[in-house]
Amino acid sequence: MFDDEPASELQELEHLFMHMGEKLEIEDAFKIWETFKFNLPNIRRRLDLDAVAIEQHDPAAKSLEEVYLAYPGFYAIAIYRLSHELHLLNVPIIPRMMSEYAHGITGTDIHPGAHIGDSFFIDHATGIVIGETSIIKNNVKIYQGVTLGGVQVKKSLSSTKRHPTIEDNVIIYANATILGGDVVIGADSIIGANVCVTVSVPERSILTYQKEFNIRPRRNDKN
């Protein structure tokens, strides 16, 4: 009985896709679906790499099963990888519907047009924004509140690269903001929490924002 469930679910998805394709007047919807279905094993392979990256680098993760079933960051990545494949096949509207659904569930907004490499790690998920023309290479780790955005919001820039490139093995800590299509964060770099980056960063750099704290004893007031 259980062996038939994946095939049955895939048939249901095919029926739904064809129905939406008819409503949206998508040409060659069946051909697109067949190509998408053919690419599913490769998408699964990449998702396995993402899950392993999360399990290996998050000390709170107790098992791969926990990552698959309970991690919003992994859920957001999974929806992204599926929607990105449809985006590459020039499917209108549906990829954005998928990404906005994941956005509502996880708090992570990944545009399906972004290009993201293997072993991608999102921790905590909430508040992450990854723009349409972002390029993220392999083994990148991103924490909550990170924005990969554009410097300007103009319709005339829609066909240009507006979002940054993140090279291999970069770590971007919480609430960092990286803006601009010409900005490249070099490989093996660390971007600290709460920084705003609008220029490129060389390889093997550490960029941090430091604020001086003034800590003093409380007065011994009597009520």
Side-chain angles (χ1 to χ4, degrees), residues 42-105:
N42 185 54
I43 296 172
R44 172 59 191 268
R45 179 191 65 81
R46 300 188 72 186
L47 285 172
D48 288 341
L49 293 175
D50 299 324
V52 169
I54 294 171
E55 192 269 338
Q56 288 181 342
H57 293 102
D58 185 356
K62 306 306 181 187
S63 66
L64 277 175
E65 289 81 5
E66 183 179 29
V67 173
Y68 281 113
L69 296 173
Y71 267 60
F74 179 75
Y75 187 85
I77 294 169
I79 297 297
Y80 156 75
R81 295 217 182 273
L82 294 166
S83 66
H84 179 68
E85 190 65 33
L86 293 175
H87 176 83
L88 293 177
L89 293 170
N90 296 313
V91 175
I93 302 176
I94 294 175
R96 285 305 304 272
M97 292 172 65
M98 294 169 66
S99 66
E100 289 307 316
Y101 176 78
H103 183 193
I105 296 295

Side-chain angles (χ1 to χ4, degrees), residues 143-163:
Y143 289 77
Q144 69 271 18
V146 167
T147 296
L148 305 183
V151 175
Q152 301 181 60
V153 182
K154 293 182 179 179
K155 192 67 175 180
S156 60
L157 299 176
S158 62
S159 61
T160 64
K161 188 177 186 303
R162 309 181 304 281
H163 307 97

